[in-house]
Amino acid sequence: MHYQIDAFQMRSSRRPCGARMIGVDKGYTEALTDSEGEHHGTRLGTLLAAESDRGKERNRRRAKLRSIANNAARRGDHAKAHRITVNNLGQVKRDRQAARHRAQVRTEIFTAVHRVVDKAATVVAEDLTKSFAGRKRLGKNVNRRLAAWTKAITAEALANVSERRGSAFVHVNAAYTAQACHRCGRLGRRDGDRLHRTVCGVVWQADVNAAINIPRRAGDPDIALHTPHQRVRQILQDRTDRHRTRLPVQDSRPAPPSGERIIPTAQH
Ligand SMILES: [Zn+2]
């Protein structure tokens, strides 16, 4: 499995990167959506759904077998209990299926990133190595674990492919990029894959809208990589309020140096 991926990566490492600045938004149905409206890695959702179903069915079957083995042991039929444990609760087949699935997902995601780098001299994305939820809260939920895992692979692929093909890879603060209308800047309501009720009266595809907003953050004078979530919301609201009341736009605050902590403004 590893050899297939390595060979693929070796071939592609000789391909030059593109010439444009491209923003990407990480999805679940597809690996990436870019700021030109293209979806990449569109088989990802199907692969993950199939694995999620397999995982749940596997857990159900194993629980049933474990209970049969336990009952047999209680009755004193230790031979049967042992047979089930060795033959039916083994790891070998499961490990083989899991390795195959991992390889398919990696190939889908790496291929998606290559398609983006074909066009990009600079790839702009949120820092996918930072997890908002934190690891321990993922628990046994199959879908959440799969989502966290694909996020990590996407982060790895973006860094790795960019480095090998010579594109710059830039992290930006992606807070509210999915909710703010890329045309008027107002916060809309996210409903599944749609962004509704923007002042423009248009319903955007949420991931495309986010991917368009993301590269703009690279040049945003007010929103730095570590600007807190709530502060970002306030900045976005101040901008649209200024626009609405036609007040002169004040000079933008200089972006704080990376790592500087700003006390988040109170919720409103
Ligand atoms: Zn709008």
Side-chain angles (χ1 to χ4, degrees):
M1 295 305 173
H2 293 290
Y3 293 115
Q4 283 176 10
I5 291 165
D6 289 344
F8 174 72
Q9 291 176 355
M10 295 264 293
R11 273 201 310 280
S12 58
S13 66
R14 297 190 196 103
R15 255 152 67 193
C17 64
R20 303 194 288 283
M21 181 186 262
I22 307 280
V24 291
D25 181 52
K26 191 232 170 299
Y28 191 74
T29 307
E30 51 271 317
L32 294 169
T33 299
D34 73 33
S35 48
E36 300 182 336
E38 259 197 278
H39 301 289
H40 307 276
T42 52
R43 284 170 58 238
L44 182 65
T46 312
L47 284 171
L48 295 178
E51 178 63 11
S52 169
D53 291 347
R54 265 198 302 276
K56 285 169 190 163
E57 173 61 17
R58 203 157 48 213
N59 289 344
R60 198 188 59 75
R61 267 200 323 264
R62 287 172 66 82
K64 197 172 165 188
L65 282 165
R66 198 167 284 122
S67 122
I68 294 171
N70 289 344
N71 285 339
R74 245 195 316 276
R75 286 197 315 270
D77 191 350
H78 294 289
K80 182 175 180 179
H82 180 73
R83 249 188 347 262
I84 291 173
T85 304
V86 169
N87 296 330
N88 300 102
L89 293 173
Q91 294 277 343
V92 176
K93 186 182 170 197
R94 187 162 62 152
D95 289 351
R96 211 163 44 219
Q97 284 176 340
R100 182 161 169 271
H101 175 253
R102 274 200 300 275
Q104 285 175 327
V105 168
R106 285 184 71 87
T107 300
E108 190 70 9
I109 291 173
F110 269 83
T111 304
V113 171
H114 275 291
R115 296 281 175 273
V116 171
V117 173
D118 284 344
K119 306 196 280 184
T122 304
V123 180
V124 187
E126 78 176 291
D127 185 355
L128 296 168
T129 62
K130 296 266 191 308
S131 169
F132 226 72
R135 259 159 225 257
K136 56 189 170 224
R137 275 163 58 192
L138 292 175
K140 286 191 172 178
N141 184 304
V142 174
N143 289 334
R144 291 182 69 191
R145 274 194 290 115
L146 283 173
W149 171 66
T150 57
K151 196 172 158 184
I153 297 174
T154 307
E156 179 195 338
L158 284 166
N160 184 301
V161 174
S162 284
E163 191 186 332
R164 281 186 293 108
R165 294 183 59 188
S167 52
F169 179 36
V170 177
H171 281 155
V172 293
N173 188 331
Y176 296 100
T177 50
Q179 291 98 323
C181 170
H182 70 268
R183 193 188 280 172
C184 68
R186 281 185 179 281
L187 295 177
R189 190 174 56 83
R190 178 101 183 240
D191 181 17
D193 62 348
R194 295 280 179 259
L195 179 70
H196 285 281
R197 289 180 186 171
T198 56
V199 166
C200 315
V202 186
V203 179
W204 304 116
Q205 220 177 311
D207 49 4
V208 173
N209 181 71
I212 293 170
N213 279 330
I214 282 170
R216 294 179 183 171
R217 287 285 168 86
D220 195 301
D222 301 317
I223 302 172
L225 184 57
H226 299 290
T227 304
H229 215 246
Q230 272 308 316
R231 175 79 193 124
V232 172
R233 189 186 176 96
Q234 186 64 60
I235 289 166
L236 295 176
Q237 277 174 343
D238 287 350
R239 284 176 184 173
T240 53
D241 288 350
R242 268 202 305 268
H243 186 69
R244 192 175 51 195
T245 56
R246 295 173 190 279
L247 287 174
V249 176
Q250 295 163 3
D251 286 344
S252 291
R253 280 182 341 114
S258 195
E260 180 188 326
R261 298 228 176 260
I262 301 171
I263 297 156
T265 52
Q267 288 220 298
H268 45 274

